[in-house]
Amino acid sequence: MLKKQRYQAFIDHFSHHMPEAETELHFENPFQLLIAVVLSAQCTDKRINIVTPPLFRDFPTPEHLASSNFDELFPYIKTVSYPNNKTKHLLGLGKMLVEVFNSEIPSTVNELIKLPGVGRKTANVITSVVWNQPNMAVDTHVFRVSKRLGLVPQNAKTPLEVEKHLIKHIPKEHIHVAHHWLILHGRYICLARKPKCEDCTITHFCRYFEKNQKTLQLEADLIPKSKK
């Protein structure tokens, strides 16, 4: 299958079966989303959704973060990954939002990455989710699934390389939602260690499945019928 055909099959399938895909992080405004995404680095959305309600309640604005301190903020996020660094990031982020951006969330990637704790991936998430900008955030799921499907070359070694390939071939109007298609498929079906190919509905255009079809079929045949 040609790359152009794979992309078209990818877009056709998910546009029909998952047209309203969105982030699983819970938020009510751009400020809350920014905080949630910063906290979600190397942590699960499920954990972040447990932590953020009291955090959002007691720190509802950039001003609240800016006027806080480490000892006050740390207990709210102590159960997420790297809580020490993330506490410092949130404090610095709050101050910069107040002092530099008039307490408004920047709407461009270049401005967002100036904030403490905000890298390109986080900035791409914010701009695509809040403003539907054609930006592609590449996390481990997007990186893995896009290569397995054959959407990007196997020799694409960095998130930025993967991002550039996806941006080049996915129509602009689909980029912001395609990010969620790839994440959700990787989170629930195309798992890192053992992808659920037997439950997958897109094996007809998956390069990984094409290459491993015989092996996967042999494994399936060995499973007792009672367990299938």
Side-chain angles (χ1 to χ4, degrees):
M1 181 180 284
L2 298 175
K3 179 176 288 188
K4 183 177 180 180
Q5 293 173 311
R6 286 188 198 276
Y7 271 97
Q8 192 58 57
F10 168 72
I11 293 166
D12 289 346
H13 175 87
F14 284 102
S15 294
H16 179 72
H17 294 284
M18 202 184 292
E20 304 298 329
E22 57 187 21
T23 178
E24 294 187 312
L25 290 171
H26 298 165
F27 70 99
E28 295 181 356
N29 55 57
F31 174 67
Q32 290 185 358
L33 178 63
L34 176 60
I35 299 307
V37 177
V38 168
L39 290 176
S40 71
Q42 295 181 289
C43 196
T44 66
D45 287 0
K46 183 178 180 180
R47 166 55 51 185
I48 301 307
N49 288 336
I50 292 173
V51 167
T52 51
L55 178 66
F56 293 159
R57 180 195 65 218
D58 295 342
F59 299 88
T61 67
E63 286 82 2
H64 286 85
L65 275 184
S67 62
S68 185
N69 58 63
F70 187 94
D71 290 338
E72 183 180 10
L73 183 60
F74 179 83
Y76 287 85
I77 64 170
K78 64 182 180 180
T79 61
V80 307
S81 59
Y82 307 105
N84 289 337
N85 285 339
K86 289 179 180 178
T87 299
K88 295 174 184 176
H89 288 329
L90 293 190
L91 292 171
L93 181 151
K95 290 179 181 179
M96 183 171 282
L97 284 176
V98 172
E99 297 172 0
V100 179
F101 296 105
N102 196 31
S103 297
E104 297 291 330
I105 306 304
S107 61
T108 69
V109 170
N110 288 337
E111 288 180 312
L112 281 163
I113 60 176
K114 295 176 183 179
L115 296 169
V118 178
R120 184 175 183 85
K121 182 186 76 174
T122 296
N124 280 340
V125 170
I126 302 302
T127 53
S128 65
V129 171
V130 177
W131 294 286
N132 290 342
Q133 293 180 19
N135 296 326
M136 175 62 68
V138 178
D139 66 356
T140 56
H141 297 304
V142 174
F143 190 88
R144 177 180 72 256
V145 174
S146 62
K147 294 179 77 170
R148 281 183 177 171
L149 290 179
L151 299 178
V152 302
Q154 295 302 302
N155 61 3
K157 301 299 183 184
T158 67
L160 184 57
E161 287 182 72
V162 170
E163 176 188 333
K164 288 181 177 179
H165 278 286
L166 293 172
I167 293 295
K168 180 180 178 181
H169 295 285
I170 298 175
K172 282 188 176 182
E173 65 269 23
H174 293 297
I175 291 174
H176 70 281
V177 70
H179 159 72
H180 301 300
W181 291 342
L182 291 164
I183 284 181
L184 294 173
H185 191 68
R187 185 171 291 167
Y188 297 109
I189 300 295
C190 196
L191 309 181
R193 293 187 178 181
K194 190 173 178 57
K196 299 178 180 179
C197 294
E198 68 279 5
D199 297 328
C200 184
T201 56
I202 59 174
T203 53
H204 58 288
F205 65 84
C206 176
R207 186 174 181 273
Y208 176 89
F209 185 79
E210 288 173 6
K211 291 183 64 178
N212 297 278
Q213 188 172 9
K214 290 183 179 179
T215 301
L216 293 168
Q217 186 58 54
L218 286 172
E219 291 178 351
D221 290 342
L222 291 173
I223 299 175
K225 291 184 178 180
S226 61
K227 293 185 179 181
K228 287 187 179 181

